[in-house]
Amino acid sequence: QVQLAESGGGSVQAGGSLTLSCSGSGLTTSNNCLGWFRQVPGKEREGVATFDPGRGRTYYADSVKDRFTFTQDNANNTVYLQMNSLQPEDSAKYYCAAGRVWSCEAQTRGTGQNLVYWGRGTQVTVSS
């Protein structure tokens, strides 16, 4: 069982930056696919970034590529999402997730429905 907790959300102006954190016992020491997702009320959840520990590769949604960076601190079982050049369309509740899946990369293009461990989310609001 992996319990996840996100932090670091907040309100920023367009062009600003935020770093989200997600911690959980065993989060980075297991072989789980790790991911960040976001959801706006009334819209489907979407993948933002995922990390496949087996391949050592990170995958990003096209909408955040070159602006967001996924990193992890194995010693502290924490993953991060560094978000730069934030835009109003990045406003959403952000969730971290983990789980064993066939394709971690595919989770980035979907809703993450196959990931079994989820945090409660942290709100990010970007004003213009």
Side-chain angles (χ1 to χ4, degrees):
Q1 187 78 10
V2 179
Q3 293 184 323
L4 307 179
E6 304 94 338
S7 61
S11 298
V12 295
Q13 290 194 321
S17 298
L18 282 174
T19 299
L20 306 182
S21 302
C22 175
S23 298
S25 177
L27 177 61
T28 59
T29 56
S30 67
N31 204 33
N32 287 318
C33 170
L34 307 173
W36 285 98
F37 296 79
R38 65 187 182 186
Q39 188 169 24
V40 175
K43 296 185 72 174
E44 197 170 54
R45 187 173 59 209
E46 63 176 4
V48 175
T50 60
F51 174 73
D52 185 334
R55 296 175 184 270
R57 292 194 62 177
T58 307
Y59 306 96
Y60 296 96
D62 288 342
S63 59
V64 306
K65 212 170 284 186
D66 299 326
R67 298 189 299 123
F68 290 12
T69 303
F70 180 106
T71 58
Q72 61 184 75
D73 179 350
N74 292 336
N76 292 301
N77 280 307
T78 301
V79 298
Y80 302 94
L81 185 68
Q82 171 69 42
M83 305 185 295
N84 297 326
S85 302
L86 283 162
Q87 300 301 315
E89 53 265 33
D90 294 315
S91 296
K93 196 162 190 179
Y94 284 71
Y95 298 86
C96 69
R100 298 283 183 99
V101 293
W102 180 252
S103 171
C104 195
E105 179 181 10
Q107 305 308 308
T108 316
R109 301 190 296 271
T111 64
Q113 62 183 19
N114 294 319
L115 298 175
V116 297
Y117 304 113
W118 289 85
R120 294 188 174 185
T122 185
Q123 180 68 37
V124 171
T125 303
V126 185
S127 57
S128 57

